[in-house]
Amino acid sequence: MLIRRVEVYTVELPYKKPFTISMGTSYSSTDVVVKIIDDEGNVGWGEASPSRRVTGESEDTILSAMSVLAPQIINEDPLNVEEIERKISGAILGNTAAKLALEMAAFDLKGKILGVRLRDLLGGYKDRVETDFTIGIMSPEEMASDALRYVEMGFRILKLKVGLDVEEDLARVRAVRDAVGKDIRIRIDANQGWSVKQAKKALSSMERYDVELAEQPVKWYDYEGMAELTRESPIPIMADESVHSARDALLVANMRAADYINIKLTKAGGLLEARRIAAISEAAGIPNMIGCMMEGGVSITAAVHFATATRNVVTTDLDSDISLKEDFVEGGAKCENGFRILPEGAGLGNLRVKEGMLKLWKVFEEGKEVSTPL
Ligand code: MG
C-alpha cells in the first residue's frame, strides 16, 4: 500500500474565552488539517497548530511548508513511518508543526491498515491519563472562580499561567490555593516571563502555597539560568520552550537544567522525535509531561496515545480542545473527571472529523499539486 493523495485543509477554532499568557493574548487558532489516503482508500488524519512564539510558525508558514513536505510522502509506504519521517525532516529545516501533521497522519494510516491502536504501535502502557486544566492570566479573583469551576468539573490538577509581575503572580496563586483548598494540585507556568532574580523571589514565595512545579520560568535560551534555578528553587523546574528536540533534551540533561521536561508533539515535529526526547529524559532520570498548543481533537488524541504508550510521561497537560467553542472532531480522546480516555478503534481511533468545518487549501497527488488555492 502506498500513500497516493494528501489533502490539506484549514480550520478556524475560536476559543470559549480569550487566553492570556505572559507572551500575549489569543482568541482563536487557525489549524492546518491533513488527510492522507492510500491506494486502497484507507485514510489517516493529522493536525498542525501554529505557535508563532514557540515554533515560529503561522498558518501561512505551515501551508507554505506543506508545498515542500506533502509531495515527499506521495508513493511512500505508510507502514514505513521512520522513512517518512526521514524524508520530511530532511526536506526543510524547522517547521515542526507542519511535519507533525504529516507524520501523525502516517501513523494513523499505519494503525488503520494494521488494525492496531496508535498507543500499541508506540508501546502500550495504559488506557487513560490524568490531565491538568490550564487557567490563563486574569485577576486573582477571576482565576480563583475559574479554578473552582474546573474543580467542580472533576479536574484535580490546575496549571496557572503567571509571569507578568511577581507580586501579582503571587496574589493569583494565593487566591487559587485559598479557593480550592489543599487537596488540589497546583502547578504554574511563567512562559519565560521572569528574570532569574524574579524567578528566585517568586518561587521561594510560592513554596508556601504548595506549588508542585514551575514551568519555563526564564527565557528559553537561558539554559544557565534554568540550571541555577533547578539547583536553588524550592519548587521543581520544568523545561518547556527550552526543549523542542532530542538534542535540546540532551543539552538540558547534561546541564541539569530542569527537573522535568515538557514534551509537545508540535515542538518535536512528530511522535518519533517525541519518543527520542522521552528516551533521553528517562535515561537522565528526568520525568516528562506531555503538553499541547491550542490544538483540536486530532492532535490531542495523538498526544493521549503517546502519553498512554510512554512510561516516562508521568503527567499531562492535554486540555486545549476543551477550551474551543467547537472542535472539528468527534469521538477523540474523551475527558471525564480530569482523565483523558483513549477512543476505541485502530490508529488514532474511531474519530469523526466534521469535514464541513474544514476549508480545502490544496490536494497533492503523484508528487504534484492537483488543485490551486480556493
Ligand atoms: Mg508551558
Side-chain angles (χ1 to χ4, degrees):
M1 268 162 280
L2 299 176
I3 297 166
R4 295 296 193 193
R5 185 175 164 94
V6 179
E7 299 175 1
V8 181
Y9 300 86
T10 58
V11 63
E12 292 295 325
L13 299 171
Y15 310 156
K16 286 177 186 156
K17 59 195 268 185
F19 183 61
T20 300
I21 66 171
S22 67
M23 297 190 280
T25 299
S26 43
Y27 303 86
S28 73
S29 174
T30 305
D31 283 12
V32 175
V33 178
V34 299
K35 180 183 185 181
I36 65 173
I37 303 153
D38 72 7
D39 38 18
E40 294 197 354
N42 299 303
V43 168
W45 288 97
E47 179 185 355
S49 192
S51 176
R52 289 172 178 76
R53 296 181 181 94
V54 179
T55 71
E57 291 168 281
S58 66
E59 56 273 25
D60 295 331
T61 71
I62 291 172
L63 293 175
S64 184
M66 282 295 169
S67 295
V68 177
L69 295 169
Q72 301 290 324
I73 72 165
I74 301 284
N75 294 332
E76 288 297 318
D77 182 346
L79 300 188
N80 296 348
V81 180
E82 289 263 0
E83 172 62 8
I84 287 172
E85 191 225 14
R86 187 190 68 79
K87 289 198 78 174
I88 58 182
S89 65
I92 187 169
L93 194 66
N95 294 283
T96 50
K99 289 171 178 171
L100 168 66
L102 290 169
E103 196 230 49
M104 185 189 299
F107 261 124
D108 185 26
L109 184 52
K110 176 176 180 167
K112 297 244 162 61
I113 291 167
L114 298 176
V116 175
R117 289 200 290 188
L118 177 55
R119 181 202 77 146
D120 302 330
L121 288 177
L122 295 171
Y125 167 44
K126 51 186 174 180
D127 289 317
R128 59 184 59 204
V129 284
E130 189 164 17
T131 181
D132 63 25
F133 194 89
T134 303
I135 300 174
I137 298 177
M138 292 176 287
S139 71
E141 299 72 31
E142 284 173 292
M143 288 177 78
S145 84
D146 267 21
L148 277 177
R149 201 149 47 84
Y150 296 120
V151 168
E152 276 163 24
M153 285 166 67
F155 292 97
R156 300 182 304 176
I157 315 171
L158 299 172
K159 172 164 142 177
L160 311 182
K161 291 291 190 180
V162 294
L164 285 183
D165 174 273
V166 171
E167 289 307 318
E168 289 172 15
D169 290 336
L170 202 54
R172 292 182 178 97
V173 176
R174 184 192 309 128
V176 173
R177 176 55 81 203
D178 287 350
V180 300
K182 64 177 172 38
D183 293 335
I184 299 297
R185 291 161 62 187
I186 293 178
R187 52 183 65 156
I188 58 157
D189 186 356
N191 287 106
Q192 316 174 52
W194 293 325
S195 65
V196 173
K197 199 171 157 189
Q198 286 171 321
K200 282 185 183 172
K201 186 176 168 204
L203 296 172
S204 58
S205 310
M206 282 177 190
E207 188 190 10
R208 79 188 74 142
Y209 302 117
D210 195 15
V211 173
E212 64 174 7
L213 60 89
E215 220 178 302
Q216 201 65 45
V218 296
K219 292 281 184 243
W220 68 268
Y221 48 79
D222 187 4
Y223 292 95
E224 295 286 349
M226 289 287 285
E228 189 178 333
L229 291 168
T230 301
R231 284 192 302 273
E232 295 180 21
S233 164
I235 296 172
I237 301 296
M238 176 182 280
D240 178 5
E241 291 94 320
S242 289
V243 177
H244 291 224
S245 63
R247 277 191 316 279
D248 297 338
L250 193 57
L251 177 68
V252 162
N254 285 336
M255 292 184 68
R256 308 308 302 175
D259 299 293
Y260 294 86
I261 289 175
N262 183 357
I263 298 176
K264 288 179 182 165
L265 299 179
T266 301
K267 291 185 298 177
L271 294 127
L272 290 172
E273 183 71 0
R275 204 162 62 171
R276 291 179 201 116
I277 298 172
I280 288 171
S281 304
E282 187 172 7
I286 299 174
N288 295 123
M289 177 163 90
I290 182 158
C292 57
M293 303 299 184
M294 287 309 288
E295 295 158 19
V298 168
S299 204
I300 288 290
T301 299
V304 173
H305 280 279
F306 184 85
T308 52
T310 312
R311 255 194 347 263
N312 204 51
V313 174
V314 298
T315 187
T316 78
D317 172 29
L318 298 174
D319 58 353
S320 60
D321 55 329
I322 301 163
S323 301
L324 301 176
K325 261 189 195 151
E326 187 185 356
D327 199 353
F328 69 97
V329 55
E330 278 172 352
K334 276 189 295 194
C335 190
E336 280 178 12
N337 291 318
F339 282 83
R340 304 300 315 228
I341 302 161
L342 277 183
E344 292 298 320
L348 287 171
N350 298 330
L351 37 85
R352 190 182 74 75
V353 173
K354 300 175 194 168
E355 297 196 43
M357 283 178 73
L358 307 182
K359 207 163 90 183
L360 183 67
W361 179 64
K362 273 185 189 176
V363 177
F364 298 85
E365 248 177 24
E366 296 294 333
K368 63 181 192 298
E369 292 168 21
V370 296
S371 73
T372 47
L374 295 175

